[in-house]
Amino acid sequence: MKLALVNNVRSYATKGAKGSCPFCGSDVIAKCGTIKTDHWAHKGVRNCDPWWENETDWHRAWKDNFRADWQEVIAHDEATGEKHIADIKTDYGLVLEFQHSHLNPIERSSREKFYKNMIWVVDGTRLKRDYPRFEKAKQDFRVTNKQGIFIVDFPDECFPSAWINNRVPVIFDFKGTDVIVDAKDSRNYLYMLYPKSAARHRFVAIITREFFVDCIISGNLFAKKQETQKQVVTPPAPNRRVAARSQYVFHKGRYVRRWRF
Ligand SMILES: [Zn+2]
């Protein structure tokens, strides 16, 4: 973990420092070496939150795009008493989880249920075959009338199967921590797979990293989306008073001309 409690203050790891885990309260020690970035580690082998993943440089680089007080936030479920550490939790309630290692679909689904308002960011470089496979399938993306949004007819040929039954957006990052010189290389972009719907085809948005980070920080894209979801579209209810004054009245589920009565 990146932040631990030292005298009750969330602090970064410094050489020789001792602290306590903000989650389970057990002792943690600072690990400051030359190979891995500075972090805190539990004295025991096991981590306290079973969902907690050993941090890679890729994790760290992603987290550092956001405010320190949004990083490693304890998320509670009041109803079940369950709690977990969210990689990022914004002050408007959105959770980002950065996933490097394999996650089975049942586990993925239970985390989606726990966090509800969340986005996955997946390290697409873990398996060497995933990017070439994606690159090939990407040639069949179909354009839509919205710029940057595409239709994918066969999502299972495009993305790792563990991710395609997602109920929340999944962002694939095929660049990882690599440095890519060619500006046209498609790994410079992020690919957001929209949540699964009733339709067989799926939607994918191609976005830049900067755009994604800006959207999260400002709350623009995703806060707006929540508002839209809250708007319940109901068919216009028959307004009897208005109908009575007009020459139409609502009768047996439709408006009919008054003179029929
Ligand atoms: Zn702990």
Side-chain angles (χ1 to χ4, degrees):
M1 71 186 74
K2 199 179 151 183
L3 294 153
L5 297 174
V6 179
N7 300 323
N8 270 327
V9 179
R10 273 158 57 93
S11 312
Y12 293 103
T14 51
K15 205 161 188 135
K18 285 174 187 153
S20 61
C21 169
F23 189 78
C24 68
S26 60
D27 291 346
V28 289
I29 41 175
K31 299 271 185 180
C32 303
T34 47
I35 298 166
K36 283 183 92 179
T37 45
D38 298 350
H39 63 282
W40 296 95
H42 286 78
K43 279 187 176 170
V45 182
R46 284 181 68 90
N47 276 334
C48 51
D49 181 356
W51 290 3
W52 191 245
E53 193 174 14
N54 278 328
E55 197 161 71
T56 60
D57 287 344
W58 175 79
H59 273 104
R60 174 62 74 89
W62 264 111
K63 282 187 196 175
D64 281 343
N65 287 312
F66 306 100
R67 283 161 39 180
D69 61 329
W70 285 8
Q71 300 181 18
E72 300 177 355
V73 178
I74 298 172
H76 290 268
D77 185 324
E78 304 287 333
T80 61
E82 201 177 339
K83 61 173 187 167
H84 293 287
I85 308 164
D87 283 333
I88 296 292
K89 188 171 185 189
T90 68
D91 49 15
Y92 56 93
L94 175 71
V95 166
L96 298 188
E97 282 286 282
F98 303 107
Q99 189 66 27
H100 166 76
S101 56
H102 173 74
L103 190 63
N104 76 53
I106 296 164
E107 184 86 332
R108 178 187 51 70
S109 173
S110 71
R111 297 192 199 184
E112 290 173 4
K113 274 185 203 151
F114 176 79
Y115 289 122
K116 295 175 188 81
N117 183 18
M118 76 170 293
I119 297 175
W120 289 106
V121 180
V122 175
D123 185 353
T125 65
R126 191 179 62 90
L127 296 177
K128 289 283 161 271
R129 63 166 187 263
D130 284 347
Y131 177 64
R133 198 167 160 267
F134 168 80
E135 186 68 349
K136 189 164 174 281
K138 185 170 160 273
Q139 293 167 7
D140 298 325
F141 279 13
R142 289 192 284 134
V143 293
T144 66
N145 56 12
K146 281 187 182 161
Q147 204 192 346
I149 299 179
F150 298 84
I151 291 171
V152 183
D153 292 299
F154 304 102
D156 52 330
E157 288 179 9
C158 194
F159 299 109
S161 61
W163 294 101
I164 56 175
N165 287 314
N166 53 320
R167 262 176 294 193
V168 302
V170 179
I171 307 263
F172 293 90
D173 174 9
F174 292 105
K175 181 167 169 257
T177 48
D178 293 349
V179 176
I180 292 166
V181 183
D182 181 5
K184 284 180 190 158
D185 193 299
S186 45
R187 287 171 292 181
N188 288 314
Y189 294 91
L190 298 172
Y191 300 88
M192 182 170 89
L193 178 64
Y194 284 70
K196 193 179 166 78
S197 68
R200 192 192 288 175
H201 64 262
R202 303 292 295 276
F203 291 99
V204 170
I206 303 182
I207 53 179
T208 65
R209 284 151 203 281
E210 296 73 24
F211 177 75
F212 176 62
V213 170
D214 285 351
C215 285
I216 300 299
I217 292 172
S218 65
N220 278 347
L221 189 68
F222 301 101
K224 246 185 219 163
K225 207 173 138 218
Q226 276 178 297
E227 277 166 33
T228 325
Q229 281 169 347
K230 274 179 205 157
Q231 284 171 9
V232 182
V233 183
T234 45
N239 186 332
R240 284 166 196 281
R241 236 187 309 161
V242 172
R245 268 186 259 114
S246 74
Q247 63 179 142
Y248 290 88
V249 289
F250 195 78
H251 178 67
K252 289 185 179 171
R254 64 193 181 99
Y255 285 97
V256 290
R257 283 185 85 106
R258 183 180 274 284
W259 53 262
R260 282 185 58 181
F261 289 91

